[in-house]
Amino acid sequence: MALHRLKSLTVGVPDVARTADYYVDFGLEQLAPGRFATVEGGEQFVLRPARIRRLLGMTIAVDDLDDLGRIAANLRRLDVPVQQDGASLRATELVADIAVEAVVEPRPARTSVPATPYNGPGRLDRAGTRAPVLSRTGPVRPLALGHVVIGTVDQEATQRFFTDGIGFKVSDVVPGQAAFLRCSTDHHNLLVQQAPINFLHHTSWQVPDVDDVGRGAMSMLAEHPERHVWGLGRHHIGSNFFWYLKDPAGNFSEYYADMDAIVDDQLWTPRSFEGLQALYAWGPPVPPSFLNPDDLAAYMTGAHAEGS
C-alpha cells in the first residue's frame, strides 16, 4: 500500500483552551497550546478555533513522490483541484469541507510492546504471580492516533474522494450507511457514515491492551463522570475493545486496543454488517446519544438559519 498511516488531524472547536485541558487529561502530550503528540506518532492532533466543532483537516503519509503523482492524477479524474508542492499534496473533500494533505515520509518504526500475560484454561501465562497490570500506576498515554469517524451528507461522494482519489482501501461496510476505510495495516483509519449534517463523530487512540482501555477511562471519569459515553465493550467490525468519552466541545474520543490488522489485501475479504453487529459484539446497550449526538439538532437548526 502506497499510503502507510494517518499522520494527524486538525479539529475545530469553539473553546480551544478548555478542550485542550481535556486531551491533556486523556493522555496526549501538549507540545504547544492546542498541539498534541502521542508516544510513538509524534504530533498528531491540533485544535483550532471554530464556530462549531468539526474536522478541519487530516494528513496522510505516503511512501514516495510517485504516490503523490498517482493521487494527483486520481483526484483530477474526479474533477478535484489539487495543489502539489515538493513532497506534499493538498486537496479538499468538498462535501464535508475537509482539507486533506498527503506527505512523503518514511514509515515509522513502531516499538514492539510485549503481549500482556493472561491466564486461561490450560494456558498459565503468569502462574504463581499476580497480574502485572495491577502494578501499573502511571497515567495512560495513547501510543498513536488510530482512526477518525465523520458524518457526511453524501456518504458515497465522500467515500469516493478517499478511495478513488486518495487511495484508501475498503475494509468492511454497513450497506447504505457507512464504510470502514484504511490507509495503513489497521482495519480502519477512517469511517465515513451517512448523516443529516457534516460533523466529527469521534477520534480513536491506541493503547497497549484492554487493561489500559479501562484504566484510561476510569481515570478520565474519576472527577468528571459526565465525560462517559459508552463502554467497556468490543466491536465486531474491527474487533477492537473500546471505551468512548466526550470532550467539552461534544466530540467523542475513544481508547482502543486489539484492532484487526490487514497486512495483505489479497487475504482480506470485505464484508457487509447490519444490525447490532455493525455496532458491537458485547458491551452496555448503545446510548442514543452515541448514534445521534445531542448537539446535532442544534447545529442543523443553526446551519438552516444561516442559509435562509
Side-chain angles (χ1 to χ4, degrees):
M1 177 182 283
L3 315 181
H4 63 81
R5 75 165 175 145
L6 177 60
K7 179 177 169 63
S8 65
L9 300 173
T10 300
V11 172
V13 295
D15 188 337
V16 170
R18 184 166 173 242
T19 308
D21 288 343
Y22 169 95
Y23 286 99
V24 170
D25 290 349
F26 191 78
L28 301 182
E29 178 188 1
Q30 187 164 210
L31 305 175
R35 309 186 75 92
F36 297 89
T38 58
V39 172
E40 295 187 7
E43 185 174 314
Q44 295 203 277
F45 195 58
V46 178
L47 295 173
R48 289 184 179 167
R51 185 182 63 82
I52 62 174
R53 64 180 184 88
R54 58 183 295 258
L55 179 63
L56 298 175
M58 68 170 65
T59 302
I60 311 299
V62 306
D63 285 324
D64 53 44
L65 292 175
D66 288 343
D67 299 324
L68 292 185
R70 282 189 288 273
I71 293 171
N74 291 339
L75 289 171
R76 290 185 179 113
R77 277 193 288 271
L78 297 176
D79 295 323
V80 176
V82 175
Q83 293 181 317
Q84 190 168 351
D85 178 18
S88 69
L89 174 153
R90 291 170 297 282
T92 299
E93 196 289 304
L94 296 176
V95 175
D97 192 24
I98 300 169
V100 178
E101 183 179 25
V103 298
V104 176
E105 69 170 32
R107 298 191 178 218
R110 299 210 59 184
T111 302
S112 179
V113 178
T116 304
Y118 294 109
N119 285 340
R123 177 180 53 80
L124 302 181
D125 290 347
R126 56 173 185 82
T129 182
R130 300 183 194 277
V133 298
L134 299 178
S135 64
R136 296 179 189 173
T137 57
V140 170
R141 302 294 187 196
L143 301 176
L145 170 65
H147 59 266
V148 60
V149 174
I150 59 171
T152 168
V153 296
D154 191 338
Q155 189 265 331
E156 289 186 0
T158 299
Q159 178 180 334
R160 186 162 56 250
F161 172 90
F162 283 104
T163 54
D164 297 356
I166 302 297
F168 280 66
K169 303 289 181 66
V170 177
S171 297
D172 288 307
V173 299
V174 181
Q177 296 183 44
F180 293 75
L181 312 177
R182 67 185 186 276
C183 64
S184 73
T185 57
D186 289 346
H187 175 274
H188 57 280
N189 304 104
L190 171 64
L191 195 165
V192 178
Q193 64 181 29
Q194 184 68 37
I197 189 172
N198 299 320
F199 76 104
L200 170 60
H201 187 274
H202 75 264
T203 59
S204 188
W205 306 86
Q206 185 186 41
V207 295
D209 55 28
V210 65
D211 285 281
D212 270 12
V213 172
R215 289 200 319 118
M218 294 302 291
S219 176
M220 289 289 287
L221 298 175
E223 296 182 9
H224 296 277
E226 74 281 359
R227 291 170 169 174
H228 175 71
V229 177
W230 185 32
L232 172 73
R234 186 189 273 274
H235 285 302
H236 195 109
I237 305 178
S239 301
N240 53 293
F241 294 106
F242 66 81
W243 198 319
Y244 294 91
L245 304 138
K246 184 167 67 173
D247 75 19
N251 304 301
F252 302 149
S253 59
E254 175 191 17
Y255 290 116
Y256 83 90
D258 193 25
M259 174 76 74
D260 289 339
I262 303 172
V263 296
D264 187 337
D265 294 339
Q266 301 302 313
L267 300 179
W268 183 267
T269 301
R271 289 179 52 194
S272 297
F273 294 86
E274 298 186 81
L276 289 181
Q277 273 197 334
L279 292 169
Y280 68 132
W282 58 261
V286 186
S289 63
F290 181 81
L291 302 176
N292 295 292
D294 297 333
D295 56 1
L296 287 197
Y299 285 155
M300 290 173 67
T301 302
H304 176 73
E306 288 183 353
S308 60

